[in-house]
Amino acid sequence: VLQRAPLAATVWGFTAPGATVTSTIAPARPEECEAVPALASGGACATRTLTCKAGADGAWRQALPPVAASTVAFSLTFASSNSSAERAELHNVLFGDVYLCGGQSNMEFAMPADANASAEIAAADAYPHIRIFSVGHRTSSATPLRDLQTVWEPWQVASRATIAKDFTPHSHLFATFSAVCWHFGKSLSDRLAARGSVVPLGLVSNNWGGTKLEMWAPATVFDECGVSPPPQPLGGPMWNAMILPYAAGPMALSGFVWYQGEADTATTATAALYRCTFPKMIGAWRDAFRQPTAFFGFVQLSTWCGGGELAEALPAMRDAQMGAAALHGVAYATNADHGMGCAIHPAFKRPVAERLATAALAVRYNESVRWRSPRYVTAEQTTPQAEGTVTVEISLRD
């Protein structure tokens, strides 16, 4: 799935410096395209040919004409003047909304380990307009990369097979695709369809268990938060290998979904630093994708047990996460009510993902829905009191 209009999706690649790259885009079935007014009126049903030149570094970038969302499939071809052998094709491409799902193990947590997994996985067959892409965990880098060096699973049509692949006995929680990412996309798809139109969704599972925020951020984030020297002087290994490659275009998208923070929950001091670094990281991601107002939805941490300072650090971290909610276009979903006691990986991923989808409807799609969890305002004892009883009146908002 490529990002729909009004944004112009960018495609890019690498060839010889100075070579001309010719790109074509055309509907796979023109007659089907002509039956969709938003496509026919915008000129999307004709074959369009575009050219660009590769820069001194061999990178070429081609902005495509904006294309409205639909289930009409398109084909794209690319050819370099450098060699007749340098050709590539993409088929069955849809235009819709693209979301990148990042974070650590609770975002990595797979569909086969999800609560009610069998029924949830079987339901995926009804969503062929959702396409999934999984980066995997084979490449990290101490220096910036301009291309993904490894891909676990390339773009695939969502189905009961594709969303639950590569689940092995020795990895009882993790497989190809993120449960939170899938449930977010499925719920968002249903809600958008209820408004009268099917919007294809492209979901990118881009996560790595056990990673701290510093691994996903450029060094400037820590410079701006007064940490010198920064823990990753050339940028975090996941920032370099799993974020910057998308910025080479950059990839056009609708937003990000984020579930991370457990690895940073050590002390109240680490929580205090997160209050500064988390909003700065969001800004850095938006800058890298050149979309300063892209939607960013995050999960407020759930419950788990641990020693040391966790009893104070966990609530402090939840409060620190909420500092990012002041940014424009940022939303959150609480998850403490769907924890599993001492388990750091709660199996109930659907509720929090549906909350994120509701938040996206309000913040990204401007739908009038209540998405915030109730927030504490005041608490006071009411008077008079009967003997032996106390009544407390609590005020909430949202």
Side-chain angles (χ1 to χ4, degrees):
V1 173
L2 295 178
Q3 182 62 38
R4 62 166 163 165
L7 294 180
T10 296
V11 290
W12 70 93
F14 308 97
T15 183
T20 297
V21 174
T22 301
S23 305
T24 66
I25 176 171
R29 292 183 292 276
E31 67 282 0
E32 181 183 358
C33 183
E34 293 289 351
V36 180
L39 297 178
S41 62
C45 300
T47 297
R48 289 178 281 189
T49 301
L50 309 160
T51 60
C52 64
K53 282 190 176 294
D57 61 353
W60 59 270
R61 298 169 179 84
Q62 180 64 67
L64 300 177
V67 179
S70 80
T71 56
V72 173
F74 286 78
S75 295
L76 290 83
T77 66
F78 313 98
S80 171
S81 63
N82 182 58
S83 167
S84 59
E86 289 190 37
R87 295 182 58 85
E89 297 181 357
L90 293 173
H91 298 284
N92 195 16
V93 176
L94 304 182
F95 284 84
D97 288 340
V98 178
Y99 287 90
L100 187 147
C101 302
Q104 58 178 109
S105 54
N106 269 310
M107 181 61 83
E108 182 186 350
F109 190 101
M111 283 300 299
D114 190 42
N116 197 25
S118 296
E120 296 288 4
I121 290 170
D125 288 342
Y127 296 85
H129 56 285
I130 299 180
R131 309 295 170 82
I132 61 175
F133 180 93
S134 186
V135 178
H137 318 108
R138 297 187 180 95
T139 301
S140 61
S141 178
T143 57
L145 302 177
R146 66 175 186 173
D147 196 18
L148 293 172
Q149 301 301 296
T150 52
V151 172
W152 192 350
E153 292 288 351
W155 283 107
Q156 300 176 90
V157 175
S159 70
R160 70 177 69 202
T162 58
I163 70 165
K165 292 177 69 175
D166 303 322
F167 191 68
T168 57
H170 70 272
S171 179
H172 64 288
L173 296 178
F174 310 116
T176 302
F177 204 74
S178 159
V180 169
C181 194
W182 169 252
H183 284 304
F184 167 79
K186 176 175 175 288
S187 178
L188 183 59
S189 176
D190 288 341
R191 301 287 289 276
L192 292 174
R195 303 195 328 176
S197 61
V198 175
V199 178
L201 294 177
L203 305 176
V204 179
S205 185
N206 196 77
N207 37 72
W208 197 309
T211 50
K212 294 183 177 181
L213 179 143
E214 68 188 51
M215 299 180 180
W216 295 96
T220 54
V221 163
F222 290 86
D223 292 336
E224 293 170 5
C225 291
V227 178
S228 182
Q232 307 287 342
L234 297 178
M238 282 74 214
W239 165 261
N240 289 330
M242 299 173 69
I243 296 298
L244 286 183
Y246 300 110
M251 180 176 74
L253 46 61
S254 286
F256 310 94
V257 180
W258 176 255
Y259 195 159
Q260 189 275 341
E262 296 90 346
D264 291 282
T265 306
T267 66
T268 54
T270 61
L273 178 60
Y274 201 92
R275 180 179 293 277
C276 179
T277 56
F278 185 33
K280 298 293 185 184
M281 187 207 78
I282 294 173
W285 282 30
R286 287 170 161 178
D287 288 347
F289 285 79
R290 301 179 199 170
Q291 292 186 223
T293 60
F295 172 78
F296 195 104
F298 68 89
V299 177
Q300 190 184 47
L301 295 182
S302 189
T303 57
W304 77 92
C305 301
E309 297 184 41
L310 184 66
E312 295 183 1
L314 180 53
M317 176 59 81
R318 289 183 182 135
D319 188 56
Q321 288 179 294
M322 295 303 291
L327 297 177
H328 177 75
V330 172
Y332 62 90
T334 56
N335 200 34
D337 56 332
H338 286 284
M340 292 181 64
C342 289
I344 199 170
H345 298 119
F348 299 95
K349 301 302 187 191
R350 179 175 176 175
V352 72
E354 290 179 336
R355 290 172 180 175
L356 286 170
T358 301
L361 281 173
V363 176
R364 170 67 177 81
Y365 300 92
N366 299 313
E367 185 168 313
S368 181
V369 292
R370 298 175 67 91
W371 65 270
R372 293 181 179 88
S373 298
R375 291 182 288 174
Y376 171 82
V377 179
T378 61
E380 57 182 288
Q381 181 176 322
T382 59
T383 55
Q385 297 294 321
E387 184 177 351
T389 65
V390 174
T391 302
V392 177
E393 184 175 288
I394 298 176
S395 298
L396 302 173
R397 61 181 173 182
D398 300 324

